Amino acid sequence: MVPQIQFPTLTADLIMKYKILKAIDISGLNFLSPVVRLIAQEDPRKQLHEIGRFIIVPIVAFAAFLFLWSALAPKHRTKAGEVPTPGVVWDASKGVWLFHKRETAKADAYLMNSAERRKTLQQATTRLARLDALEAEANRQISDIKAASKEKFDAYVAPSKTAYDAKRAEFRTAKINRENSLKEKAALLATQGTDARIAYLARIRENAVTTEQEKEQLKLLKTTYTEAQTKTFPEVKKAQQAITKLAEERQFLSKYSEMLGAGSRESKTTESESLLAESKNKFLTATDGDFYRLGNTVVKSEDLLATTETSHYAKPWTLPKQIVRSLLCVFTGFLVASAIAIPIGILCGLSPTFMAAMTPFIALFKPVSPLVWLPIIMIIVGGFMPEPENHWLVKALDHVPILKNYKVDPMFLSSALTVALCSLWATLVNTALGVASIEKDHLNVAKVLRLGFTARLFKIVIPTALPLIFAGLRISLAVGWMVLVAAEILSTSQGIGKFVNDMYTNGSSESFAQMFVVVFIVGIIGMFLDRIMIIFQRLVSFDTAGSAI
């Protein structure tokens, strides 16, 4: 009698565990698998070891990186001040977000109705009145702190100043003595021979060398003294930051109150309606006068009212909005690159002759830098759009619900096409490789079944090559995201690159810190884009191999 094999029954907990593990595997977040297995009580010792390796060790490594950054950054000074520490960068990121929130609040205030506007205006007025007391207290505190820290500052600066002044006086005296000695000897040269004169020239050269050495020593002492003068104390810096924040809040609340009061759209509309009624009344009741002028005034008042009723607050570009525009730009370029690369890649994979024809182009254009492509594309796009505001494409895109808010102009198109030209090669090559790797037996069976070219393409070729196609798309998207920032910096197209360029031009210490904020934002967005492409790649893959990091 053959014994029956008893298979374990899958409980709801096991089913849930395997579903979670499958989702983690597809998303490429395999470092979370040991956590799920540990919760499910699966070999706890092994899972703790895996958690230590893939979670704890990276956290410790990143913490060490932050520690070294905090320790080394203040030691290097630039024209924009000290290199910002992680704490300064974090404060800068909060400042960027606060600016965005305040500008959004102004835009919302401009459109508020009467009841809500009056209530919000009262709150803003109350806060403005409260700021007077807060600023007075902050000024008193910083005066006390500066007075307390002045003694420490003088004690810190005094040694370097004393050393510099003493050495400068010493070198000045020594130089005068050397020059006087040379002048005395010069008076005797008229009666002396060639050897004495050659020796005298040597002493002049020696004096020049000594003078230069003394200048270098003074320069070093001067640098030390200058650096000492820039010494700041944490308590003073903190107090100054508090005053700056209060001043920025006052500036915001003043403009915010204006948007809630006479500067609101509702108030401006009421004012325009009053002007229109007045101009109409003058035109209709006038018995003599310049009716042409009065009529034009009525028409202009009507136009002003129509414009005011549909107007919005001129909100400046903030970093969150620039991020969205950059994402729109990179996906536009990515879609263009995919539309070009996938068909050509399929043809290359199907036809060795076509592949041979395309190889020189791939080898020639693949290494070209985006900084070379961008000016060329800008000129070409400019040729197609000599008057961008009147071009049919720009006008059409101005009516697209999402795109109309993000200024799709020639600079946007130039950046997107640069992304496309630099990122299409990985998709093209991987598509060609995937198509060329299809088993010949599959194609032979298709011939036996008398499948047409279209049927073979969509039922055999593309489905089989999809894993490699998506691997190429993943690389292309990563390349496109890297290329985009450089393209936006060069083209001054609104986006993350424009933000970086503006901060670099500003040159302040706060702007320097905000550039570091962009480094992390670009890295985090790039990481998420890569994770998304990994999910698509895993969904179309036929194997269960782990995804790349």
Side-chain angles (χ1 to χ4, degrees), residues 397-438:
L397 293 174
D398 280 343
H399 293 87
V400 178
I402 296 176
L403 296 180
K404 67 180 182 180
N405 297 323
Y406 292 97
K407 193 180 178 183
V408 178
D409 56 10
M411 294 298 100
F412 177 95
L413 298 175
S414 298
S415 299
L417 291 175
T418 301
V419 168
L421 280 173
C422 294
S423 64
L424 65 86
W425 309 107
T427 300
L428 194 158
V429 172
N430 274 43
T431 301
L433 179 61
V435 172
S437 302
I438 298 174

Side-chain angles (χ1 to χ4, degrees), residues 6 32 102 132 157 162 166 204 232 247 317 340 492 507:
Q6 296 293 328
L32 295 176
R102 286 176 172 174
D132 293 333
V157 173
T162 302
I204 291 178
T232 56
W317 284 85
I340 296 172
T492 64

Side-chain angles (χ1 to χ4, degrees), residues 81-92:
E82 294 178 353
V83 175
T85 61
V88 174
V89 173
W90 176 249
D91 289 340

Side-chain angles (χ1 to χ4, degrees), residues 167-447:
K167 190 61 70 173
R168 184 174 62 173
E170 177 189 337
F171 287 162
R172 184 180 298 166
T173 302
K175 181 181 179 183
I176 292 172
N177 291 337
R178 290 196 305 270
E179 289 179 349
N180 289 336
S181 175
L182 287 171
K183 289 176 181 177
E184 290 175 0
K185 294 185 179 297
L188 303 174
L189 286 180
T191 59
Q192 294 179 350
T194 303
D195 293 340
R197 297 187 181 192
I198 291 175
Y200 183 77
L201 286 176
R203 295 196 62 177
I204 291 178
R205 294 191 190 98
E206 182 182 346
N207 176 57
V209 171
T210 303
T211 301
E212 287 300 320
Q213 291 173 348
E214 290 173 350
K215 284 182 181 178
E216 290 299 321
Q217 291 183 48
L218 278 178
K219 188 183 295 184
L220 292 175
L221 291 171
K222 178 70 172 178
T223 301
T224 304
Y225 174 43
T226 303
E227 290 177 354
Q229 287 179 305
T230 61
K231 171 70 175 178
T232 56
F233 296 93
E235 58 271 21
V236 177
K237 193 172 183 179
K238 188 175 180 181
Q240 288 174 334
Q241 288 175 344
I243 290 178
T244 301
K245 287 181 180 179
L246 289 172
E248 289 174 350
E249 186 179 2
R250 175 177 290 279
Q251 184 180 18
F252 159 68
L253 288 173
S254 299
K255 186 66 176 177
Y256 189 53
S257 299
E258 181 185 338
M259 292 293 102
L260 291 166
S264 68
R265 185 168 75 176
E266 189 176 49
S267 298
K268 288 184 176 181
T269 300
T270 302
E271 184 181 349
S272 298
E273 289 173 345
S274 176
L275 289 173
L276 176 59
E278 182 182 349
S279 61
K280 276 186 175 180
N281 182 59
K282 286 182 178 180
F283 178 76
L284 295 174
T285 58
T287 57
D288 57 3
D290 189 351
F291 285 96
Y292 176 76
R293 180 181 60 81
L294 294 174
N296 272 331
T297 303
V298 172
V299 173
K300 289 178 180 179
S301 298
E302 290 173 343
D303 292 341
L304 176 62
L305 177 60
T307 303
T308 304
E309 287 175 337
T310 58
S311 64
H312 291 80
Y313 171 68
K315 180 181 176 183
W317 284 85
T318 58
L319 184 56
K321 185 176 180 180
Q322 289 172 314
I323 290 172
V324 175
R325 190 177 190 272
S326 291
L327 287 170
L328 287 173
C329 188
V330 78
F331 276 110
T332 301
F334 176 67
L335 292 175
V336 172
S338 302
I340 296 172
I342 293 176
I344 294 177
I346 291 173
L347 292 174
C348 288
L350 291 175
S351 170
T353 303
F354 189 80
M355 181 65 186
M358 291 302 300
T359 298
F361 297 100
I362 297 173
L364 180 63
F365 295 125
K366 183 181 177 182
V368 178
S369 166
L371 300 181
V372 177
W373 279 124
L374 182 62
I376 297 173
I377 295 172
M378 288 170 63
I379 293 172
I380 294 174
V381 171
F384 282 106
M385 297 181 175
E387 296 181 2
E389 62 279 358
N390 297 322
H391 195 270
W392 65 267
L393 179 59
V394 174
K395 287 185 176 180
L397 293 174
D398 280 343
H399 293 87
V400 178
I402 296 176
L403 296 180
K404 67 180 182 180
N405 297 323
Y406 292 97
K407 193 180 178 183
V408 178
D409 56 10
M411 294 298 100
F412 177 95
L413 298 175
S414 298
S415 299
L417 291 175
T418 301
V419 168
L421 280 173
C422 294
S423 64
L424 65 86
W425 309 107
T427 300
L428 194 158
V429 172
N430 274 43
T431 301
L433 179 61
V435 172
S437 302
I438 298 174
E439 293 287 343
K440 298 300 180 185
D441 292 342
H442 295 169
L443 297 176
N444 291 335
V445 170
K447 290 180 180 178

